[in-house]
Amino acid sequence: MNTSHLCLGILSLRNASGYEIKKAFEETFSHFQATSFGAIYPALARLTEQGLVSFHQEQQEKRPAKKVFSITEAGRRHFLETLMGTEPAEQYRSDFLFLMMFAHQLPIGHVAGLLEKQTGNLVAELEILDRIISECQTLTPGMRFTLEYGIAANQALLDLMRKRSAPLLKEIQKTEGPTSP
Amino acid sequence: MNTSHLCLGILSLRNASGYEIKKAFEETFSHFQATSFGAIYPALARLTEQGLVSFHQEQQEKRPAKKVFSITEAGRRHFLETLMGTEPAEQYRSDFLFLMMFAHQLPIGHVAGLLEKQTGNLVAELEILDRIISECQTLTPGMRFTLEYGIAANQALLDLMRKRSAPLLKEIQKTEGPTSP
DNA sequence: ACATACATGTAAATAGTTACATGATTTC
DNA sequence: GAAATCATGTAACTATTTACATGTATGT
């Protein structure tokens, strides 16, 4: 899945400008996909060249003109083929866990700070997901599922953080032994 | 966190060749970080230039010679500064959830297949993590924590998949309405 | 006065993946 | 006889991030 596919995905649901596509990824897609303006605008230009999307200019009062993109029939076919050929994979990269691997090399107070910050991040993420799922009535089944999925993971991790943070700090102190202050 | 930092991290724990660093990322680090030979070898060359690591050749019988790298004092200082300046962030990208967003555009049988495959992926990942945590007695507290973290997330997601897969398929069928076969 | 939202776009820099090249040894 | 493990490295390609450039309008 690259930025072109992400754009086609949004456009298969509704017409949108590049700016609105970016917003969609900050709002409803942010917990499992991300992209940036620097990737979206060139992608839309390429898709237009390839005839997979088209656009019309929309003048606005007191706002810059918009390019509103629509997916073409060819684009819809291409997107469906992409979906059919895509494996259900996931990738997870965590600087937090990398830091924890080296916790014994860090000042214990710093590790405590990291654990608190990570707990806060999980709380914040959960609040966002809970808000979306309760505020939006018109969610498609698929959309609701992605939110439940995010909530399940974040809730389990938050529970773990609350249960294991203090014991981890104690274990690290023991490992460091009597040389620690 | 880039490949150079990942290499320094391994070398802060023990001496290793490029090949052994790659293996470490396939084994104990695979659930939260990844990298490739094409990134590791150039990174080790740069780190050597910068004086953050050094190496000696080790001849082996019936095997190609190894370059065994060690972290220098400067490297250790640099790595500690990097750790201290790194925020506890996480990033998650999921093609699986992206596919679920468009489940209503796909044949229902295909969606069922995707749900099964994803469930299988979670089971496989859990088995790997369980095996490591039970087989290795000499785990550092930090390492054990990263494994518990991975297990917690994967177990929660597996539970959700088992509870919600069938209802999701039913909801999608309803959404598609009487036009579906 | 400053930040944020709206709106499009480019360019440089960074980084990483994938495939290739080479070659011995061991396992199936 | 094929595939996997050990072992290092390069090069082409792909992609993305970040910062910049430009400008209006609204909110604080």
Side-chain angles (χ1 to χ4, degrees), chain B residues 119-135 147 150-151 154-155 158 162:
Chain B
T119 303
N121 289 347
L122 292 170
V123 169
E125 180 68 17
L126 264 177
E127 275 169 14
I128 291 169
L129 295 174
D130 280 335
R131 191 177 49 71
I132 298 174
I133 212 168
S134 62
E135 277 183 13
L147 291 166
I151 289 168
N154 280 286
Q155 187 62 59
L158 183 57
R162 290 187 167 146

Side-chain angles (χ1 to χ4, degrees), chain A residues 15-154:
Chain A
N15 295 348
S17 64
Y19 191 87
E20 288 163 350
I21 289 171
K22 176 75 193 308
K23 264 206 313 188
F25 282 100
E26 278 166 3
E27 289 161 15
T28 40
F29 287 72
S30 68
H31 63 295
F32 62 94
Q33 292 290 341
T35 189
S36 61
F37 284 131
I40 289 171
Y41 286 116
L44 288 170
R46 272 196 306 276
L47 289 168
T48 304
E49 267 176 53
Q50 295 164 358
L52 303 178
V53 306
S54 64
F55 69 91
H56 65 271
Q57 297 271 344
E58 217 168 79
Q59 301 303 325
Q60 297 179 107
E61 275 173 45
K62 308 191 177 181
R63 287 265 169 252
K66 257 197 225 195
K67 277 189 181 180
V68 179
F69 290 86
S70 316
I71 194 166
T72 62
E73 263 316 300
R76 218 172 265 282
R77 273 197 306 276
H78 178 87
F79 182 57
L80 188 63
E81 273 166 40
T82 302
L83 289 183
M84 293 296 288
T86 299
E87 291 298 307
E90 303 189 278
Q91 70 168 76
Y92 169 68
R93 291 293 109 83
S94 175
D95 282 357
F96 166 65
L97 291 186
F98 186 76
L99 291 167
M100 287 305 106
M101 281 290 297
F102 303 99
H104 57 286
Q105 298 179 21
L106 293 168
I108 192 99
H110 188 77
V111 177
L114 292 171
L115 290 166
E116 269 173 51
K117 228 178 235 177
Q118 175 64 9
T119 303
N121 289 348
L122 291 170
V123 169
E125 181 67 18
L126 264 177
E127 275 168 14
I128 291 169
L129 296 173
D130 280 335
R131 191 178 49 70
I132 298 174
I133 212 168
S134 62
E135 275 183 12
C136 302
Q137 272 78 33
T138 57
L139 294 176
T140 61
M143 179 68 197
R144 182 174 298 276
F145 182 81
T146 72
L147 291 166
E148 285 176 12
Y149 199 89
I151 289 168
N154 280 286

Side-chain angles (χ1 to χ4, degrees), chain A residues 1-8 34-36 39-41 43 46-47:
Chain A
M1 285 294 140
N2 59 29
T3 299
S4 287
H5 297 134
L6 301 184
C7 290
L8 281 180
T35 189
S36 61
I40 289 171
Y41 286 116
R46 272 196 306 276
L47 289 168

Side-chain angles (χ1 to χ4, degrees), chain A residues 1 9 12 31-33 87-96 102 105 117-118 121 148-149 164, chain B residues 1 9 12 31-33 87-96 102 105 117-118 121 148-149 164:
Chain A
M1 285 294 140
S12 82
H31 63 295
F32 62 94
Q33 292 290 341
E87 291 298 307
E90 303 189 278
Q91 70 168 76
Y92 169 68
R93 291 293 109 83
S94 175
D95 282 357
F96 166 65
F102 303 99
Q105 298 179 21
K117 228 178 235 177
Q118 175 64 9
N121 289 348
E148 285 176 12
Y149 199 89
R164 288 280 175 231
Chain B
M1 284 298 141
S12 81
H31 62 295
F32 62 94
Q33 292 291 342
E87 291 296 308
E90 301 189 278
Q91 70 167 75
Y92 169 68
R93 289 295 110 81
S94 175
D95 282 358
F96 167 64
F102 303 98
Q105 298 179 22
K117 229 178 236 177
Q118 175 64 10
N121 289 347
E148 285 178 11
Y149 199 89
R164 289 279 175 231

